[in-house]
Amino acid sequence: MGVRSVNPPPPPTADHDDQVTAAALREQYESGSTVDQLAASSGLSYGTVLNRLHEAGTEMRTSWQTRRLRDGQARRNLAARLRRLYEQQGATLAELAVAGSVTRRAARRLLIEAGGTPRTTQQTLRIRSAADAARRTKLAESLRARYEAGATVPDLAGECNYSVGTVYRLLHQAGTHMRPKHNHGPARTPRKRS
């Protein structure tokens, strides 16, 4: 009895559908491609492209956001506005995304297109810290002027919605000469010595 030779089955080949990953579709979509363009270039159906984008957690654009992103002059205007926010006001990429109604990745790309240079997290923190210090100094000077005009610390704390301790710290930071504390309670009667 002879042994029959059986050809091994061919190795399973991945479908073209499986080779187009959700992450790759998301990256192209966030670069400005439309769902129609992704469907045409990938050979996938419109619904499959949508499902893969949702699977990748893609934040979908409205049609007007896509038009604005793709229109040359509108895109340049948006990029310039985002760069100003980023460089002059210290906005983060996440804040640019909200301001431009785009994804964070698209905001970064627009910033670079406008000639901006993305900062590191540490650089952003330093800018924010300096801005906070400047606002705090301005507030301290304002509190000092109002205190020296006769306002009390509790009044200032109530107006600014800060604690009394915070107002005292801000007044000291501004170099305020503090008034002597007054006893607002009832007068004490001196003790008799026996």
Side-chain angles (χ1 to χ4, degrees):
M1 192 165 143
V3 177
R4 220 167 99 198
S5 169
V6 176
N7 289 338
T13 56
D15 278 341
H16 173 69
D17 287 7
D18 294 338
Q19 292 174 355
V20 181
T21 66
L25 289 172
R26 177 180 176 169
E27 185 172 337
Q28 291 174 49
Y29 181 81
E30 289 180 346
S31 296
S33 295
T34 64
V35 176
D36 284 327
Q37 289 171 330
L38 293 176
S41 67
S42 68
L44 300 174
S45 72
Y46 187 92
T48 302
V49 169
L50 271 181
N51 288 339
R52 298 249 171 110
L53 289 172
H54 289 297
E55 176 186 314
T58 309
E59 188 177 323
M60 303 303 288
R61 298 183 299 263
T62 63
S63 57
W64 72 266
Q65 288 171 327
T66 298
R67 279 194 304 275
R68 189 175 67 174
L69 197 59
R70 298 179 65 76
D71 177 41
Q73 186 58 47
R75 184 181 178 96
R76 285 189 294 278
N77 292 343
L78 176 61
R81 184 169 72 86
L82 295 182
R83 180 179 179 186
R84 280 192 304 275
L85 286 172
Y86 192 74
E87 293 178 350
Q88 295 172 9
Q89 297 180 18
T92 63
L93 288 174
E95 290 167 339
L96 293 184
V98 170
S101 298
V102 294
T103 64
R104 190 175 181 278
R105 185 182 301 213
R108 185 178 193 280
R109 192 171 295 106
L110 287 165
L111 173 67
I112 292 169
E113 285 176 21
T117 304
R119 297 183 298 262
T120 65
T121 303
Q122 290 302 319
Q123 289 169 324
T124 298
L125 289 174
R126 279 196 295 274
I127 288 171
R128 290 275 169 115
S129 178
D132 288 345
R135 274 194 298 276
R136 194 171 175 88
T137 300
K138 187 175 179 179
L139 174 63
E141 293 297 330
S142 167
L143 290 173
R144 175 182 177 173
R146 289 161 58 203
Y147 178 82
E148 289 176 347
T152 65
V153 171
D155 290 342
L156 293 173
E159 291 171 21
C160 297
N161 205 19
Y162 283 118
S163 70
V164 169
T166 299
V167 171
Y168 271 115
R169 278 192 297 280
L170 288 167
L171 289 171
H172 286 295
Q173 176 186 330
T176 309
H177 179 68
M178 303 303 289
R179 297 188 291 263
K181 292 183 180 179
H182 300 287
N183 183 359
H184 296 289
R188 293 190 203 167
T189 53
R191 286 186 169 183
K192 294 182 184 176
R193 292 188 185 182
S194 10

